[in-house]
Amino acid sequence: MNVPFFNYQDLYLKDKIIVDQAIESVMNKGAFILQKELADFEKYLAHYTGAKFALGVANGTDALWLAMMACGLKPGDEVLMPSHTYVATPAAANFIGLNPILVDCNDDHLMCIDDMKEKISPKTRAIIPVQLNGRTLNMAELLSIADQNSLLVIEDAAQGLGSKYNGQMAGTFGLAGTYSFYPAKTLGCFGDGGAIVTNDELLFNKLYELRDHGRNKSGEYQRWGLNSRLDNLQAAILLGKIKVLKQEIKRRREIAEKYHIFLSIIPDLCLPPDPSSSENHFDTYQNYEIECGDRDNLKSFLSSKGIGTIIQWGGQAVHQIKALGLYNNLPKTDRLFNKCLLLPMNTTLTSFQVDYVIESIKEFYK
Ligand SMILES: *Cc1c(COP(=O)(O)O)cnc(C)c1O
């Protein structure tokens, strides 16, 4: 049996009816840029997340830097974020002159709030929590610290769509939240895509203008802007797919439950919190990131069995990437990156494939 880490071809086959319908309709209408499907998707996304406003943009990285810029952050401002994130999070900050300050991680692999507190300085202006692997941080605690220190909160929820803390959706806690629709994300399109949500109407209007050459809803120029539109074809596909997102998340949680039941007995492994482990968290398992003492041997053994696994971000947390010059002493993240591994986790996996992954891991530890 073969279990690729991610099967991009099956992504189309799995949702063929939805995708074909969306493409045919948009093609026949010739409606490609800033059309009804985009507006409908934005409306649906706002409704789904519980935010007042949603705006489609070109990708999740643009969503981040547009949100940071529109919130009024200025060159030289320090922004706190975890080192265990995609390079896009600090890159978005760096791109507009902000100074990303990297924070250590917790046992659940998300940003450590205690370490974050220590790193607040007179120059700190914002916190960018990353809702990693489909899990939302303890946002009650984070917001109270942000409040005490007058810091803005912009959530990188690229991996967090649908995940909740205390019943509230990732992306909706701070001034703005961002999502990515990269194909491998929980809600993926067939190219690049992203979105920003906010409850602040002024901020929304500013973002609306920035995304499309500075033009407002009446087409009048209000400011300098650029082109970061989510194209209507991708929006139409996303509109079809977001309507079945609930089932997708249910399936991810089933797979996580199965991994938990059969793998939690192996002493060398440390697994993510299982789906029913906490009342406060609703996790969507964008990724299933385990820790294993014998990681590199397990990885090659699984590879010899035809099972693909990866180490997130190509094996380096952001502070470990020499070329970026953001070195910081983050012992927990360093330790994690000697042990972390992503097991296959997506909705193209069959139950046989999930069983095979489990059996193969058990065989390695036998
Ligand atoms: C995917 C991802 C992004 C960037 O999204 P793109 O759409 O690829 O630009 C940002 N942050 C995190 C945590 C991500 O996983």
Side-chain angles (χ1 to χ4, degrees):
M1 195 182 298
N2 213 30
V3 187
F5 179 72
F6 198 88
N7 190 334
Y8 287 93
Q9 265 172 329
D10 280 5
L11 213 52
Y12 169 53
L13 297 175
K14 185 173 72 67
D15 293 320
K16 193 172 183 318
I17 297 171
I18 291 173
V19 176
D20 287 350
Q21 237 168 31
I23 293 177
E24 207 185 318
S25 154
V26 167
M27 289 298 178
N28 282 323
K29 285 196 280 188
F32 302 118
I33 303 289
L34 296 178
Q35 298 296 312
K36 182 174 184 297
E37 285 75 9
L38 174 60
D40 288 351
F41 172 64
E42 289 169 337
K43 211 190 252 170
Y44 201 101
L45 182 64
H47 164 78
Y48 176 83
T49 57
K52 277 200 186 129
F53 306 100
L55 188 79
V57 295
N59 55 67
T61 310
D62 277 12
L64 275 167
W65 76 261
L66 285 167
M68 291 182 210
M69 191 167 68
C71 286
L73 294 173
K74 296 278 180 327
D77 288 351
E78 290 183 358
V79 291
L80 301 169
M81 61 181 67
S83 179
H84 186 1
T85 184
Y86 188 35
V87 71
T89 327
N94 174 274
F95 189 65
I96 55 170
L98 307 178
N99 191 2
I101 304 295
L102 302 176
V103 176
D104 217 348
C105 66
N106 247 332
D107 289 348
D108 66 359
H109 304 184
L110 272 65
M111 181 164 69
C112 172
I113 293 184
D114 286 335
D115 187 50
M116 183 196 85
K117 271 197 274 193
E118 307 248 312
K119 295 197 158 83
I120 296 174
S121 86
K123 286 185 175 171
T124 312
R125 290 288 173 272
I127 307 172
I128 321 287
V130 177
Q131 315 298 16
L132 195 70
N133 297 335
R135 182 174 171 87
T136 305
L137 214 68
N138 179 339
M139 291 304 289
E141 197 185 346
L142 186 136
L143 288 177
S144 111
I145 294 162
D147 208 40
Q148 285 160 27
N149 295 278
S150 308
L151 304 176
L152 299 178
V153 174
I154 300 164
E155 290 171 76
D156 179 350
Q159 295 197 359
L161 183 62
S163 123
K164 295 177 222 171
Y165 180 75
N166 281 346
Q168 188 175 339
M169 289 266 183
T172 65
F173 291 90
L175 184 50
T178 66
Y179 305 108
S180 164
F181 308 122
Y182 182 85
K185 298 282 156 83
T186 305
L187 177 65
C189 62
F190 293 87
D192 276 311
I196 309 168
V197 291
T198 181
N199 290 328
D200 184 311
E201 189 166 9
L202 287 177
L203 182 71
F204 174 75
N205 290 339
K206 194 167 173 186
L207 288 163
Y208 187 99
E209 293 157 14
L210 284 170
R211 150 186 99 165
D212 181 39
H213 303 291
R215 285 181 289 211
N216 67 10
K217 282 176 188 158
S218 321
E220 293 152 358
Y221 294 100
Q222 303 296 314
R223 61 177 77 245
W224 290 109
L226 40 93
N227 178 352
S228 181
R229 300 174 300 224
L230 173 62
D231 78 69
N232 201 52
L233 191 57
Q234 299 298 346
I237 292 167
L238 287 165
L239 179 60
K241 286 186 73 177
I242 198 174
K243 291 175 179 165
V244 297
L245 184 58
K246 236 182 165 166
Q247 288 104 280
E248 295 281 301
I249 290 172
K250 184 162 172 267
R251 175 66 186 143
R252 284 178 178 275
R253 287 168 59 83
E254 277 167 15
I255 297 170
E257 185 68 43
K258 209 164 185 187
Y259 278 152
H260 181 81
I261 289 169
F262 292 102
L263 299 178
S264 58
I265 45 171
I266 300 173
D268 189 50
L269 299 183
C270 178
L271 307 179
D274 81 280
S276 51
S277 64
S278 160
E279 283 183 6
N280 300 327
H281 293 271
F282 179 84
D283 299 346
T284 56
Y285 301 93
Q286 160 71 62
N287 294 308
Y288 196 82
E289 190 169 53
I290 66 170
E291 293 173 40
C292 22
D294 203 5
R295 194 241 340 247
D296 296 340
N297 287 325
L298 174 62
K299 189 176 193 325
S300 5
F301 178 78
L302 291 177
S303 168
S304 75
K305 306 282 281 181
I307 297 168
T309 58
I310 63 170
I311 304 169
Q312 199 156 203
W313 326 124
Q316 283 180 302
V318 174
H319 77 286
Q320 299 173 328
I321 306 174
K322 283 214 175 71
L324 302 182
L326 293 177
Y327 179 76
N328 211 328
N329 182 29
L330 304 176
K332 279 169 131 183
T333 310
D334 284 337
R335 246 177 284 137
L336 176 64
F337 273 76
N338 290 327
K339 296 195 286 187
C340 60
L341 188 69
L342 299 183
L343 298 184
M345 168 56 83
N346 59 77
T347 55
T348 70
L349 291 170
T350 65
S351 296
F352 294 116
Q353 286 178 310
V354 175
D355 291 343
Y356 180 67
V357 173
I358 290 168
E359 285 316 311
S360 303
I361 294 173
K362 280 162 78 178
E363 191 186 330
F364 174 77
Y365 283 109
K366 193 176 60 192

